[in-house]
Amino acid sequence: MTDLSTSTQAAHDGMLGAAALDAADPLAHFRNRFLGCDGPNGGPVVAYLDGNSLGRPLADTAERLAEFTAGPWGQRLIRAWDEQWMDEPVRLGDRLGEVVLGAARGQTIVADSTSVMIYKLVRAAFDAQAPTGRDEIVVDLENFPTDRFIVEGIAAERGATIRWIEPDPDTGVTPADVESVLGPRTAVVLLSHVAYRSGFIADAAAITDVVHSAGGLVVWDLCHSAGSVPVELDAWGADLAVGCTYKYLNGGPGSPALGYVRRDLQDRLLQPIWGWMGAADPFGMTDSYAPAAGIRRFITGTPPILAMQPLSAMVEVIAEAGMDAIRAKSVQLTEFAAVLSERFLVPLGVELASPSDPAERGSHITLNHPRFREVTAMLWERGVIPDFRPPRGLRVGLSPLSTSFAEVQAGIAAIRDALTELA
Amino acid sequence: MTDLSTSTQAAHDGMLGAAALDAADPLAHFRNRFLGCDGPNGGPVVAYLDGNSLGRPLADTAERLAEFTAGPWGQRLIRAWDEQWMDEPVRLGDRLGEVVLGAARGQTIVADSTSVMIYKLVRAAFDAQAPTGRDEIVVDLENFPTDRFIVEGIAAERGATIRWIEPDPDTGVTPADVESVLGPRTAVVLLSHVAYRSGFIADAAAITDVVHSAGGLVVWDLCHSAGSVPVELDAWGADLAVGCTYKYLNGGPGSPALGYVRRDLQDRLLQPIWGWMGAADPFGMTDSYAPAAGIRRFITGTPPILAMQPLSAMVEVIAEAGMDAIRAKSVQLTEFAAVLSERFLVPLGVELASPSDPAERGSHITLNHPRFREVTAMLWERGVIPDFRPPRGLRVGLSPLSTSFAEVQAGIAAIRDALTELA
């Protein structure tokens, strides 16, 4: 694999090399907290560029899970539900709210898969609006497939109409885009804070204002921002939000979702899946469902306690690093990736399909090239791991606490080598 | 704590003492596979009688989770989705089908919370029936709260009518009970195979026949049977089924549910939560949802892979022991508990609220006494752990592979002691 980091090249490019960037990185020491970041470890990963799809495990995950198994599960057994687990969806939600989401207590839970949480919250919002004649759901064509599919399903069952926004795929949804489809029939708007493909950061505060002016409710999908881009749900005036915890929150494959409902909306909204854990008295064995007060009514089934453990640890690591420092490193990482791409990949026919202004993009960039499906397969064999998004996008996802500048450089070099071999 | 196992007493009662029963138990050695079954271990559990609510962890759980974290998650990273995880909900479902459920391949998945799975499958069944004018959902008043609550929610949103069965609470739902509420408007029937309170085993094959004769679909809730009582979904002709995996399947707190849909129904049914993982092409980034063929269409969000690991191990332990042997021990355990209760607790005012014929009951018995709320709190302090179900039920749940006869005896003795102290 070609090394791009010689001092000659760094000087020529007018930028620091990866080694110097890593040396100057105030968060560099956090990499040691993650498994597989300190060397080959039996199955070498040269560069992990997909922390935006599945975050690396914290190095103490095994120890933590062992303690959980031996202690609360193995010894406290069913008693642990009374002692701590019943509160865990809200306790962990509150902590995420404080550290990651800009949300005051009592508005966030951890539960369900992300897709199920989207369903529940969009349904809750739609069903509250529908009686006033608002029957339109707004979503954009560049939103993640599950968001679009879930909305299609809701529209089919509730008789709603979908108003599609068609944003510029290389940027994202603007307040003007949203305003153009709003009206007296607008019920709910479901948008991503950071676009999964381009990485464009929506102006969530401005869009929320626009939606509110039209009498709509907005559900923010935070899957591609939570943990890498500062989120300020309370300050935005957001109505509801959903986020994924296995990406920048390192919760492990299939870890449960986060869900947020603004406090003053909670008692007005009713989600459709009336499970016992969202009931006012789950153990009361009453004859009929009465929703819990507050955020708990958005819970449905038994909380996935085991699956919350890695997330619970990661939120404390983020708290220690601080979201502002994480964002600063994220900007440096994507900028470094963009500059290297410009220098080494654009001459090979690659296009940057993400905003060039780092202030407008999250923690990943997407590169387009017709042969990136093949390139991704080649890279995976070589321990360089981005992901591929059809038809021709290669995403370079840079999880700030676990990714080094050296990994970025090795990754871009590997892409260049693969394209050169295929040429 | 008083010992009930003296040879004098055993002789007087005309039964073997616990020590002899444990010595003769062909499954006794399986207890060593579970954490905390070999002694105090720092926080002594004298008798765990609630494996029907939360199964004990397997002793190698920590090791298994460590391997999972270091290997597939930590090193294969996102590649593990392609290599194994995408298939895991169906692979593990198939294995459960083979070992525990009497279900051929391609009909079972592992996903979601139990409550969400109930919602999806009852909705799918109801929505398929509704266009033919069938608008009634049948459920019984002794069904578990989440089953009843979920059905209430579905009835509210779909305009369905609930037909309530009122079974004898100390026995359970009979084919005649079901037949009495069926008719041309019957859409779906949701019943528990084993009643959560009384432990009554429903005659699932006969009830399924009765429902089919009326043109209805039946959803079996296997929460309190799967892993302790033989289930024969295919032989029953069951339409759909849902089960919990953290009870007798020892999946850990909040582990994901199992869901079954009979093969010939799959393509006729559409579940309401159209997530990407149930789509024909999750990564196709198509503009519109098309459900996957077969059982995969009942998946919604990203499979909870980490949370499936303990379950995946437990199903192999069950395969090794065999469901018939497990059932035989379960019958012995509940019979032993019932006999000891009759001898030592009934004189103190306790009533057995479970079938007296072991062939009619699952792997738990419920005892009633007005002071059992207090008794349960006292027992928990003493390391004897049943659970309490309002208003006056104490459940003694006996997970066959991890419970000894000595535990049963110690548990009944502790109940007797507590009642005596309170008298």
Side-chain angles (χ1 to χ4, degrees):
Chain A
M1 194 166 294
T2 314
D3 183 6
L4 308 178
S5 71
T6 64
S7 56
T8 312
Q9 277 173 333
H12 179 267
D13 295 336
M15 64 178 185
L16 289 171
L21 286 165
D22 280 322
D25 172 16
L27 300 183
H29 63 284
F30 278 96
R31 281 193 91 235
N32 300 329
R33 307 280 187 95
F34 296 88
L35 206 64
C37 288
D38 53 354
N41 197 15
V45 172
V46 175
Y48 190 50
L49 307 175
D50 206 13
N52 59 317
S53 271
L54 176 68
R56 289 181 123 143
L58 286 167
D60 64 1
T61 298
E63 188 183 347
R64 186 179 178 88
L65 291 172
E67 284 171 9
F68 176 82
T69 302
W73 180 8
Q75 282 191 32
R76 300 311 298 164
L77 292 153
I78 198 71
R79 297 175 293 191
W81 280 111
D82 287 15
E83 292 163 355
Q84 50 176 300
W85 295 341
M86 285 297 285
D87 290 334
E88 192 60 12
V90 175
R91 185 205 67 79
L92 183 52
D94 282 346
R95 192 70 181 127
L96 282 166
E98 183 179 2
V99 173
V100 173
L101 305 175
R105 292 166 66 88
Q107 303 179 108
T108 309
I109 51 172
V110 175
D112 299 317
S113 69
T114 306
S115 296
V116 167
M117 186 67 84
I118 293 172
Y119 178 82
K120 287 163 62 171
L121 297 195
V122 173
R123 274 285 312 268
F126 180 84
D127 290 353
Q129 295 275 68
T132 66
R134 294 182 173 271
D135 66 348
E136 291 182 351
I137 306 176
V138 175
V139 64
D140 72 286
L141 286 166
E142 288 294 319
N143 213 332
F144 191 75
T146 214
D147 299 67
R148 292 185 277 108
F149 294 161
I150 294 282
V151 164
E152 272 191 270
I154 292 173
E157 65 172 303
R158 304 310 272 173
T161 299
I162 302 177
R163 295 295 303 264
W164 293 101
I165 294 172
E166 292 188 51
D168 179 336
D170 291 348
T171 60
V173 179
T174 65
D177 289 336
V178 177
E179 197 156 24
S180 70
V181 297
L182 297 176
R185 290 177 55 189
T186 304
V188 189
V189 178
L190 171 63
L191 295 172
S192 287
H193 179 215
V194 167
Y196 82 98
R197 196 189 297 259
S198 71
F200 181 81
I201 304 176
D203 185 341
I207 290 174
T208 298
D209 283 348
V210 164
V211 174
H212 287 173
S213 296
L217 294 170
V218 62
V219 181
W220 282 107
D221 179 335
L222 308 173
C223 287
H224 297 86
S225 58
S228 67
V229 174
V231 172
E232 293 293 344
L233 290 172
D234 288 348
W236 299 344
D239 300 304
L240 306 99
V242 177
C244 173
T245 70
Y246 50 76
K247 300 177 188 291
Y248 298 111
L249 298 172
N250 301 68
S255 61
L258 63 90
Y260 165 95
V261 182
R262 202 179 67 225
R263 188 183 306 276
D264 64 287
L265 283 174
Q266 291 167 6
D267 292 339
R268 275 182 53 204
L269 301 188
L270 193 59
Q271 56 97 355
I273 314 182
W274 295 4
W276 65 323
M277 289 290 170
D281 184 0
F283 295 103
M285 310 296 169
T286 51
D287 286 343
S288 147
Y289 177 83
I295 191 68
R296 291 199 75 93
R297 67 172 53 193
F298 299 93
I299 300 174
T300 293
T302 302
I305 300 295
L306 173 65
M308 289 180 191
Q309 299 305 308
L311 170 62
S312 184
M314 182 62 184
V315 69
E316 300 309 328
V317 174
I318 293 175
E320 194 182 330
M323 278 305 306
D324 289 343
I326 287 171
R327 171 63 177 162
K329 180 170 176 189
S330 166
V331 167
Q332 276 195 296
L333 284 165
T334 57
E335 191 64 6
F336 188 54
V339 168
L340 292 179
S341 298
E342 183 67 37
R343 168 81 176 77
F344 296 103
L345 303 183
V346 168
L348 302 174
V350 171
E351 295 166 14
L352 176 66
S354 294
S356 54
D357 178 355
E360 289 184 355
R361 82 187 165 230
S363 206
H364 69 273
I365 64 169
T366 293
L367 304 167
N368 279 337
H369 189 282
R371 305 201 69 174
F372 270 161
R373 187 186 292 271
E374 295 154 88
V375 166
T376 302
M378 292 167 70
L379 295 179
W380 280 22
E381 289 290 322
R382 298 170 184 186
V384 173
I385 313 172
D387 69 6
F388 177 70
R389 283 294 174 259
R392 59 199 186 101
L394 183 149
R395 286 197 309 186
V396 177
L398 303 167
S399 192
L401 292 180
S402 60
T403 309
S404 66
F405 292 91
E407 272 181 298
V408 175
Q409 188 164 266
I412 300 295
I415 297 167
R416 183 186 67 170
D417 293 350
L419 280 173
T420 304
E421 288 168 47
L422 287 173
Chain B
M1 193 165 297
T2 314
D3 184 4
L4 305 181
S5 70
T6 65
S7 56
T8 311
Q9 277 175 335
H12 180 266
D13 296 337
M15 63 180 185
L16 289 171
L21 286 166
D22 280 322
D25 172 15
L27 301 184
H29 63 286
F30 278 97
R31 281 193 90 233
N32 300 328
R33 308 279 186 94
F34 296 88
L35 206 64
C37 287
D38 53 352
N41 199 15
V45 173
V46 175
Y48 189 48
L49 307 175
D50 206 14
N52 59 317
S53 270
L54 176 69
R56 288 181 126 145
L58 286 167
D60 64 0
T61 299
E63 188 183 346
R64 185 179 177 90
L65 291 172
E67 284 170 10
F68 177 82
T69 303
W73 179 9
Q75 281 189 35
R76 300 312 298 165
L77 292 154
I78 197 72
R79 297 174 293 191
W81 280 110
D82 288 15
E83 292 163 356
Q84 50 176 301
W85 294 342
M86 286 296 284
D87 290 333
E88 192 59 11
V90 175
R91 184 205 69 78
L92 184 52
D94 282 346
R95 192 71 180 127
L96 282 166
E98 183 179 0
V99 173
V100 173
L101 305 174
R105 294 167 64 88
Q107 303 179 107
T108 309
I109 51 172
V110 175
D112 300 316
S113 68
T114 306
S115 296
V116 167
M117 187 66 84
I118 293 171
Y119 178 82
K120 287 164 62 172
L121 297 196
V122 173
R123 272 287 311 270
F126 180 85
D127 291 354
Q129 295 275 67
T132 67
R134 293 181 174 272
D135 65 348
E136 291 183 351
I137 305 176
V138 175
V139 65
D140 71 285
L141 286 166
E142 288 294 318
N143 212 332
F144 193 75
T146 215
D147 298 68
R148 293 185 277 109
F149 295 162
I150 294 283
V151 164
E152 273 192 87
I154 292 173
E157 65 172 302
R158 305 308 274 173
T161 299
I162 303 178
R163 295 295 302 265
W164 293 100
I165 295 172
E166 291 188 53
D168 179 336
D170 290 348
T171 60
V173 179
T174 64
D177 289 337
V178 177
E179 197 157 22
S180 70
V181 298
L182 296 177
R185 289 176 56 188
T186 304
V188 189
V189 177
L190 171 63
L191 294 172
S192 286
H193 179 215
V194 167
Y196 81 98
R197 196 190 296 258
S198 70
F200 181 82
I201 304 178
D203 185 342
I207 291 175
T208 297
D209 282 348
V210 163
V211 174
H212 287 174
S213 295
L217 293 171
V218 61
V219 181
W220 283 107
D221 180 334
L222 309 173
C223 286
H224 297 86
S225 59
S228 66
V229 173
V231 172
E232 293 294 343
L233 290 172
D234 288 349
W236 299 344
D239 300 303
L240 307 98
V242 177
C244 172
T245 70
Y246 49 77
K247 302 178 188 290
Y248 298 110
L249 298 172
N250 301 68
S255 60
L258 63 88
Y260 164 95
V261 182
R262 202 181 65 225
R263 189 185 306 278
D264 63 288
L265 282 174
Q266 291 168 5
D267 293 339
R268 275 181 53 202
L269 301 188
L270 193 60
Q271 56 97 356
I273 315 182
W274 296 2
W276 66 323
M277 288 291 169
D281 184 0
F283 294 105
M285 310 297 170
T286 51
D287 285 343
S288 148
Y289 176 83
I295 191 67
R296 290 199 74 93
R297 66 172 55 192
F298 299 93
I299 300 174
T300 293
T302 301
I305 301 295
L306 173 64
M308 289 180 192
Q309 298 306 307
L311 170 62
S312 183
M314 181 63 183
V315 69
E316 300 310 328
V317 174
I318 293 175
E320 193 182 330
M323 278 306 305
D324 289 343
I326 288 171
R327 170 63 177 162
K329 179 169 177 188
S330 166
V331 167
Q332 277 196 296
L333 283 166
T334 58
E335 192 63 6
F336 188 54
V339 168
L340 292 179
S341 298
E342 184 67 35
R343 167 82 175 81
F344 296 104
L345 303 183
V346 167
L348 302 175
V350 171
E351 295 165 13
L352 176 66
S354 294
S356 54
D357 179 355
E360 288 183 357
R361 81 186 165 232
S363 206
H364 69 272
I365 63 168
T366 293
L367 304 167
N368 279 337
H369 190 281
R371 304 199 71 174
F372 270 163
R373 186 186 294 273
E374 294 153 87
V375 166
T376 303
M378 291 167 70
L379 295 179
W380 281 22
E381 289 290 323
R382 298 170 184 187
V384 172
I385 313 173
D387 69 5
F388 177 71
R389 284 294 174 259
R392 58 200 186 99
L394 183 149
R395 284 197 311 187
V396 177
L398 303 168
S399 192
L401 292 179
S402 61
T403 308
S404 65
F405 293 90
E407 273 181 296
V408 175
Q409 187 165 267
I412 301 295
I415 296 167
R416 183 185 67 168
D417 293 349
L419 281 173
T420 304
E421 289 168 47
L422 286 173

